[in-house]
C-alpha cells in the first residue's frame, strides 16, 4: 500500500488529480468511479482539467435500488452533476437501480466489468469501512450484488435526502472481488470520521468485518489521507 499523507482536502484532490493525469497519459481506458462527498473536490479538478475522457469508459461502483438516473438522489445524477456534464466519457456505466429483474441487472453489470477491465478504481470509504456499498460481512469473493444498507450507512447518507426515511435501504453494488480486479486502486479518505476505518484498513487484520482491509492484498493500492483521517494511524 502506498500511503500519501496530505495536509487537507484541497491537497488530497491535487494529489489525486496528478494520479489521474498520469494514468490517462499512460493509456488508462477504463476508470472505476465512486460517489459520496469525498470524491467531489477531485471531480471539480477533473472537470476543469485538460484531460479528455471522450475515448474512455467509466464504471461506477454502486447505485441505490429504486432510483433511476433522473432522480436527483441517484448516483447517476450525482455523477452527471459533478463530472459527466463537464467531461463526457465514451460510455459511463452505472448499475441499474430501477431494473424489474435484479438478477439480470447484476449479470449485465458483471459482464460490463468483465468486458471492460478497470485500469484505475477510485474508492471512498464508509465510516464502518465499507467500499462501494459493500457493508461489513460482505464476502471478499463477492461480485455485483444487491446489498442491504446498514443503519450507519443510511444515517451517514441521510444528509443528501429530505429525511432519513427517504434514504433507500438497498443498493446494487460492485462486489469486493470486482473492485479487487482493478489494475490500480486509489482510495481517498478525509476527515476525522474516517480515521478509525482508515486505521483498520491499513493496520488492522484482513477481515470481512472491515471490507476495505482486503486492499492490503492488492498489488497496487494508493491511499490518500489528510491529517484528520490519518489521526488514528
Ligand atoms: N456508496 C458510497 C460509498 O462509495 C462512499 O465511499 C461512502 C462514503 O461517502 P463520503 O465520501 O460522503 O463519506 O458513502 C456511500 O456509502
Amino acid at each position: 500500500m502506498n500511503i500519501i499523507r496530505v495536509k487537507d482536502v484541497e491537497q488530497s484532490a491535487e494529489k489525486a488529480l496528478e494520479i489521474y493525469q498520469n494514468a490517462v497519459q499512460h493509456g488508462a481506458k477504463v476508470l472505476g468511479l465512486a460517489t459520496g462527498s469525498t470524491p467531489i473536490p477531485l471531480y471539480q479538478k477533473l472537470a476543469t482539467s485538460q484531460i479528455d475522457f471522450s475515448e474512455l469508459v467509466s464504471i461506477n461502483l454502486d447505485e441505490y435500488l429504486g432510483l433511476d438516473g433522473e432522480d436527483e438522489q441517484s448516483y447517476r445524477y450525482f455523477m452527471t452533476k459533478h463530472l459527466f456534464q463537464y467531461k463526457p466519457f465514451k460510455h459511463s456505466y452505472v448499475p441499474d437501480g430501477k431494473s424489474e429483474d435484479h438478477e439480470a441487472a447484476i449479470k449485465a453489470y458483471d459482464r460490463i466489468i468483465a468486458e471492460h477491465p478497470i485500469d484505475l478504481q477510485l474508492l471512498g470509504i464508509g465510516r464502518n469501512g465499507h467500499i462501494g456499498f459493500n457493508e461489513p460481512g460482505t464476502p471478499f469473493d463477492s461480485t455485483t450484488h444487491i446489498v442491504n444498507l446498514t443503519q450507519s450507512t443510511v444515517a451517514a447518507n441521510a444528509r443528501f435526502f429530505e429525511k432519513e426515511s427517504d434514504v433507500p435501504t438497498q443498493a446494487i453494488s460492485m462486489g469486493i472481488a470486482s473492485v479487487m480486479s482493478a489494475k490500480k486502486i486509489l482510495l481517498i479518505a478525509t476527515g476525522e470520521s474516517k480515521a478509525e476505518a482508515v486505521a483498520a484498513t491499513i493496520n488492522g487484520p484482513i477481515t470481512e468485518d472491515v471490507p476495505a482491509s482486503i486492499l492490503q492484498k492488492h498489488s497496487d493500492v494508493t491511499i490518500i489521507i489528510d491529517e484528520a483521517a490519518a489521526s488514528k494511524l
Side-chain angles (χ1 to χ4, degrees):
M1 282 178 156
N2 173 27
I3 314 292
I4 300 177
R5 291 176 183 229
V6 295
K7 191 165 147 309
D8 52 25
V9 169
E10 172 59 21
Q11 279 192 7
S12 74
E14 280 165 12
K15 186 52 78 178
L17 174 64
E18 284 172 28
I19 290 171
Y20 274 86
Q21 286 166 330
N22 187 47
V24 174
Q25 274 160 14
H26 286 83
K29 284 286 172 260
V30 182
L31 300 181
L33 298 177
T35 57
S37 53
T38 302
I40 292 174
L42 164 62
Y43 290 155
Q44 285 167 344
K45 290 187 182 298
L46 291 175
T48 53
S49 74
Q50 299 305 311
I51 306 176
D52 175 8
F53 293 100
S54 58
E55 287 308 307
L56 276 69
V57 165
S58 70
I59 298 181
N60 259 80
L61 276 168
D62 45 18
E63 180 58 277
Y64 284 115
L65 222 51
L67 301 189
D68 62 25
E70 284 70 51
D71 188 307
E72 289 191 17
Q73 299 304 338
S74 71
Y75 282 168
R76 159 79 68 182
Y77 187 93
F78 173 99
M79 290 306 304
T80 301
K81 178 179 170 190
H82 292 288
L83 183 61
F84 297 156
Q85 66 171 324
Y86 306 109
K87 290 283 182 179
F89 283 72
K90 183 163 65 175
H91 197 99
S92 289
Y93 294 102
V94 179
D96 179 357
K98 278 295 268 188
S99 164
E100 293 300 312
D101 181 346
H102 295 329
E103 279 319 304
I106 285 168
K107 283 197 178 61
Y109 216 65
D110 278 336
R111 198 165 42 250
I112 287 164
I113 297 166
E115 289 168 358
H116 302 86
I118 294 171
D119 294 302
L120 174 60
Q121 175 65 57
L122 177 63
L123 294 175
I125 187 167
R127 296 170 189 180
N128 59 7
H130 75 242
I131 43 179
F133 267 134
N134 294 292
E135 297 282 22
T138 303
F140 283 149
D141 63 356
S142 53
T143 50
T144 304
H145 60 139
I146 302 294
V147 297
N148 296 312
L149 304 183
T150 62
Q151 181 46 41
S152 138
T153 296
V154 168
N157 289 350
R159 65 190 190 280
F160 300 114
F161 291 78
E162 287 273 300
K163 52 188 184 307
E164 187 165 314
S165 57
D166 291 344
V167 183
T169 55
Q170 288 190 302
I172 176 168
S173 177
M174 276 172 67
I176 295 175
S178 321
V179 169
M180 290 293 280
S181 68
K183 294 185 190 77
K184 208 176 158 61
I185 295 176
L186 170 61
L187 187 149
I188 305 173
T190 54
E192 179 69 36
S193 69
K194 304 299 173 70
E196 262 186 51
V198 164
T201 297
I202 295 172
N203 295 327
I206 296 175
T207 165
E208 288 178 354
D209 296 339
V210 182
S213 63
I214 190 63
L215 297 177
Q216 294 176 33
K217 284 191 156 177
H218 194 282
S219 60
D220 189 350
V221 175
T222 297
I223 298 183
I224 298 176
I225 43 180
D226 68 357
E227 287 169 1
S231 60
K232 290 195 163 71
L233 283 181

